[in-house]
Amino acid sequence: MAESKLTIEERHAGDVTVLVLTGQMLLDDGDLAFGKRISDLIDRGCAKIVLDLGGVTYIDSSGVGMIVFQLKTLKQKGGDMKLLHLNRRAESLFGMLKLLMMFDRFEDEAAAVRSFGWAADRDRRAGPSG
């Protein structure tokens, strides 16, 4: 099998995993590599993902579909995925497919990572009141 046109760099900020994608996310190439990486993270108990798409030079509908599928999987496991540095073409594709509303989008990595803490704080405050 040929080498993927997508590279994925992984780093951690507390319990949040930041995935930096570089290259192309295409049908039967980058989409599969990305799907496998998310599955591996879930298996390791990592369900809070910041997805940095700033280095993605091209994404097709299968790439977007894989991101949406993995978001759904993460949410079923109590996690979430935030999008970072969504370029104009990707934002247009997500918008055309009516998928932008599914994601929190950020231009600042620290803010994206912090947003997971705010969600946890909000969930605690929304708990049983007596």
Side-chain angles (χ1 to χ4, degrees):
M1 184 168 158
E3 189 173 320
S4 176
K5 293 179 176 68
L6 182 74
T7 59
I8 303 171
E9 174 194 325
E10 177 181 327
R11 63 179 181 269
H12 298 270
D15 64 346
V16 177
T17 303
V18 179
L19 294 179
V20 181
L21 276 53
T22 306
Q24 299 179 358
M25 195 165 181
L26 306 170
L27 177 65
D28 293 336
D29 182 15
D31 64 332
L32 298 177
F34 173 73
K36 181 172 177 3
R37 178 62 66 96
I38 296 295
S39 294
D40 292 347
L41 286 168
I42 290 170
D43 290 346
R44 294 185 346 229
C46 302
K48 297 176 183 176
I49 311 290
V50 171
L51 191 60
D52 186 341
L53 297 168
V56 174
T57 56
Y58 188 84
I59 185 169
D60 66 9
S61 58
S62 65
V64 172
M66 181 60 79
I67 291 171
V68 171
F69 175 80
Q70 294 300 340
L71 170 68
K72 185 177 176 186
T73 302
L74 284 163
K75 289 193 172 201
Q76 289 170 344
K77 302 289 186 183
D80 202 356
M81 182 187 303
K82 317 288 179 146
L83 300 182
L84 180 65
H85 301 133
L86 195 62
N87 67 34
R88 184 171 288 136
R89 184 187 190 293
E91 188 164 357
S92 172
L93 187 53
F94 274 82
M96 184 175 64
L97 297 169
K98 308 279 190 254
L99 299 170
L100 278 177
M101 66 199 94
M102 296 179 69
F103 294 92
D104 293 332
R105 298 181 314 274
F106 296 87
E107 288 302 315
D108 177 63
E109 181 178 317
V113 169
R114 280 195 311 269
S115 73
F116 283 101
W118 294 333
D121 291 344
R122 184 182 63 236
D123 292 345
R124 273 196 295 276
R125 284 195 303 271
S129 57

